[in-house]
Amino acid sequence: MAATVRLGVPAIIVHGGAGVWRQEDLERAKGPLLEAVREGFRQAARGDAVDMVVEAVAVLEDSEVFDAGLGSVLDISGNLTMDAAVMRGWDLAVGAVAAVSYPKNPVRLARAVLERTPHSLIVGPWADDLARRLGLERHPGPSRRTLERWRSIKESKGGESELLRSWITMAAQLGFDTVGAVAVDREGRLAAAVSTGGVMMKLPGRVGDSPIAGAGLYANERVAVAGTGVGEFIMRLGLSLRIAIMYERLGDLGLSVANGVELLTSRFGGGTGGFIALSRDGMGAVDYNTVAMPWKAAGAQVQP
Ligand code: ASP
């Protein structure tokens, strides 16, 4: 059953990824999640739901604790490519980028795609070029910790074909530390944002669910949803949109999120993902089928 929380309006929920979190890592995640929720909530005083989710996700990208922004994991060749998306619920506008390596904060580039281009998704070197032209801050490259982790996995797992054969099992063991946020602003408008380095040891060019509207995130006039987990599974089920549609039919957010996670589990097994969601009236819901999924929420009725 999903955890539900009455947050009031405005409100925000952030998460740091569904996976096999060790206790010490959960402790490390607490500070940045709190900081992100505070930043998102601060934005609510002067901005809209897009400001709230983008600024909250940018805090998580900068923390180096999660698989996003500065903490992004590497592909099988040791390269860094990131995906991010923002969806604005009141007009269903989406901005997303995939396989980018230039920006420190891919979520800001996704926002630029939404607000400054007629498109919804821009990929690879073209998106990096846009980031450069917009003068966005440049990513300094993978941290020493990320490089060391990549090397030790590569050494322990043998050749590339062996790595790819057991990729999903290995990915589930390593965990999914993608970050996401959902928010409702003072006017009751909703937005969702997601940012990720994808899954460790992915093939170059692999893109998961995170930048795909309807899969990794969704927002409309009634609800905002953000997901994390095995992108290959989440996108096949179109889970974020599916949760939004279930909510429209059932009118029960906790049940809709729980049904979405249940569907993921029944089709693809446990340890595969989790979701956060927020309704226009400030009700939040969280559920996952992994060991843990750290999250934090704040709202008019729950101060950060
Ligand atoms: N969903 C992300 C992906 O498949 C991974 C994650 O949630 O950490 O790229």
Side-chain angles (χ1 to χ4, degrees), residues 35-208:
E35 204 192 314
V37 112
R38 284 194 175 142
E39 180 54 38
F41 202 66
R42 254 197 302 275
Q43 293 293 327
R46 50 194 161 85
D48 62 26
V50 169
D51 296 306
M52 294 171 75
V53 290
V54 168
E55 294 312 313
V57 164
V59 167
L60 300 174
E61 288 178 332
D62 286 344
S63 72
E64 280 191 40
V65 170
F66 308 97
D67 172 19
L70 295 180
S72 295
V73 300
L74 306 177
D75 71 15
I76 200 161
S77 308
N79 294 318
L80 175 93
T81 54
M82 302 166 287
D83 313 322
V86 182
M87 185 156 182
R88 195 163 66 189
W90 53 100
D91 60 357
L92 305 184
V94 180
V97 292
V100 295
S101 48
Y102 183 88
K104 176 169 81 69
N105 296 105
V107 74
R108 294 197 199 286
L109 183 57
R111 179 180 196 162
V113 170
L114 188 158
E115 291 175 348
R116 302 173 71 161
T117 81
H119 307 304
S120 295
L121 172 62
I122 301 185
V123 304
W126 302 279
D128 280 332
D129 195 43
L130 180 64
R132 246 179 246 117
R133 280 190 283 128
L134 290 169
L136 295 188
E137 230 178 305
R138 185 175 193 162
H139 197 294
S143 65
R144 180 131 49 99
R145 181 170 163 262
T146 306
L147 279 168
E148 277 165 12
R149 202 163 151 236
W150 179 83
R151 276 196 203 103
S152 87
I153 296 169
K154 187 111 189 184
E155 276 157 24
S156 68
K157 298 284 175 184
E160 289 202 357
S161 52
E162 192 193 323
L163 250 170
L164 287 174
R165 238 192 331 271
S166 57
W167 183 77
I168 287 198
T169 319
M170 181 202 67
Q173 280 160 6
L174 293 172
F176 310 100
D177 308 346
T178 287
V179 303
V182 288
V184 57
D185 64 25
R186 283 169 304 163
E187 315 284 327
R189 294 171 303 190
L190 292 143
V194 175
S195 182
T196 186
V199 177
M200 183 72 109
M201 298 296 174
K202 63 189 179 184
L203 275 177
R206 178 267 186 192
V207 173

Side-chain angles (χ1 to χ4, degrees), residues 7 9 36 41 74 77 79 84 114 131 175 220 237 249 262:
L7 296 164
V9 175
F41 202 66
L74 306 177
S77 308
N79 294 318
L114 188 158
N220 61 18
L237 293 170
R249 294 215 179 116
E262 174 66 40

